[in-house]
Amino acid sequence: MAEQVTIKNEFLTVDISTLGAEIQRVKGAGGTEFLWNGDEAVWSGRAPILFPICGGLKEDKYVLEGREYTMFKHGFIKNKTFTVVTAEDAKAELVFCADEETKKEYPYSFAFRVIFELTGNSLAVSYKVENENGKTMYFSVGAHEAYACPDGIENYSVVFEKNETLDSYILDGNLLEKNFIRVMENGTEFPLKYDYFQVDALVFKSLQSRKVTLVHKNSAKKVTVSFPGHDFFLLWTKPTGRYICLEPWCGIPDGVDADFDFANKEGIIPLPAGETYTAVHTITFEE
């Protein structure tokens, strides 16, 4: 049974479930609810963590060392119950370790740690992947937080840290085509429209920015996500969703021409035996 861990300071209160180490709520001191509420009639997620893949695999399968495995979109970590390592006032660490069930679809021994830490009005989220095998381990990892837009996403813009020409790669089901659609030319402010999400997500492979800010056009409400070390970035909502997901990923869905070889997968991370990989993104909330 999932439990809940709460961390807080004078600016923010953050609730985290042990199921998937998923953030359930972010509340500002001024009463602002920053996170989507997980309404099952629309989308039950709130902030799932993606591991050991981001997005989908071609035919939901991959080949590793000559053996074929099945794994579904975004991997399995979002459905696993974590153990609480520490829970302090403003910091918590949760861990999940590989077991016999995970090895049926992902044949590695690993520890996956998630560390949440509040500093002022910012929440740092660290993913630590520990390779407990005597060989290189391949994986992807990504974030999928959904930020509440109670009056609809078209009252918001995403402002990029640097000038961007935004080319969104076209999704064919769970797979990426080679073609893209240009949705912004040489700018920093990207006004959100539901039309962009009639098919699925906007998928960006070549951003210059490693920081974006979700800005409300009629208030001081802002959410800034800083994601150094993440090569891919996505925006997503349902066509009726009152939220927008700002998703920094260290990984990318398979292309339509993927060859199933996991070690050759685009965006895959090779982690040598016994080493640890850390990805950190920091979310700053203003109200």
Side-chain angles (χ1 to χ4, degrees):
M1 183 119 178
E3 300 174 5
Q4 185 167 285
V5 175
T6 299
I7 60 174
K8 60 184 177 180
N9 64 8
E10 60 183 306
F11 299 98
L12 296 166
T13 301
V14 180
D15 296 333
I16 304 149
S17 174
T18 54
L19 180 62
E22 184 176 5
I23 302 171
Q24 299 296 294
R25 187 184 192 193
V26 179
K27 185 176 182 179
T32 302
E33 296 284 357
F34 285 101
L35 207 68
W36 166 243
N37 63 13
D39 181 354
E40 293 185 0
V42 182
W43 180 58
S44 62
R46 298 171 192 246
I49 298 171
L50 316 183
F51 175 86
I53 57 171
C54 298
L57 297 171
K58 188 175 181 179
E59 298 178 21
D60 294 322
K61 69 182 183 182
Y62 68 95
V63 175
L64 186 64
E65 297 178 348
R67 182 176 172 185
E68 183 178 296
Y69 298 87
T70 297
M71 189 185 298
F72 296 109
K73 185 176 181 180
H74 296 329
F76 53 73
I77 209 76
K78 63 185 185 295
N79 299 318
K80 299 300 181 180
T81 300
F82 282 65
T83 298
V84 178
V85 179
T86 58
E88 303 166 7
D89 288 348
K91 183 178 181 180
E93 178 180 339
L94 292 81
V95 66
F96 176 81
C97 296
D99 57 25
E100 293 310 308
E101 283 302 307
T102 63
K103 288 179 182 178
K104 292 175 184 177
E105 55 183 310
Y106 185 66
Y108 292 113
S109 296
F110 65 86
F112 186 92
R113 299 178 187 275
V114 188
I115 300 165
F116 302 91
E117 186 167 12
L118 290 170
T119 304
N121 62 334
S122 294
L123 171 67
V125 184
S126 303
Y127 304 142
K128 292 192 173 184
V129 183
E130 300 171 6
N131 182 354
E132 299 178 343
N133 307 271
K135 59 185 177 182
T136 297
M137 170 179 158
Y138 298 94
F139 66 93
S140 298
V141 64
H144 201 308
E145 289 95 354
Y147 301 103
C149 302
D151 50 349
I153 69 166
E154 295 189 353
N155 287 294
Y156 294 78
S157 293
V158 175
V159 178
F160 291 84
E161 171 190 29
K162 299 179 180 178
N163 248 35
E164 301 284 358
T165 291
L166 296 178
D167 294 328
S168 177
Y169 282 79
I170 298 169
L171 280 159
D172 179 1
N174 288 334
L175 307 180
L176 283 182
E177 297 182 4
K178 295 293 186 184
N179 301 322
F180 56 78
I181 297 173
R182 183 155 292 175
V183 294
M184 187 172 79
E185 185 96 41
N186 192 31
T188 57
E189 184 171 355
F190 181 60
L192 293 173
K193 299 177 183 177
Y194 282 107
D195 284 351
Y196 292 133
F197 305 100
Q198 291 300 319
V199 176
D200 204 311
L202 297 180
V203 182
F204 305 121
K205 289 187 180 185
S206 55
L207 286 188
Q208 302 302 306
S209 303
R210 291 297 182 271
K211 182 187 291 186
V212 301
T213 301
L214 180 66
V215 178
H216 189 262
K217 68 182 183 182
N218 295 321
S219 77
K221 179 184 174 183
K222 292 181 182 179
V223 176
T224 298
V225 183
S226 175
F227 49 98
H230 296 67
D231 289 338
F232 308 101
F233 181 74
L234 290 82
L235 296 170
W236 178 76
T237 189
K238 293 268 191 175
T240 57
R242 300 290 179 175
Y243 63 88
I244 186 72
C245 295
L246 309 180
E247 305 178 36
W249 288 6
C250 301
I252 199 73
D254 271 355
V256 293
D257 59 348
D259 66 1
F260 301 107
D261 187 335
F262 204 54
N264 289 339
K265 177 175 167 55
E266 182 180 8
I268 204 74
I269 298 165
L271 182 63
E275 294 196 5
T276 297
Y277 176 92
T278 302
V280 182
H281 66 287
T282 302
I283 314 162
T284 301
F285 301 92
E286 299 176 55
E287 58 183 331

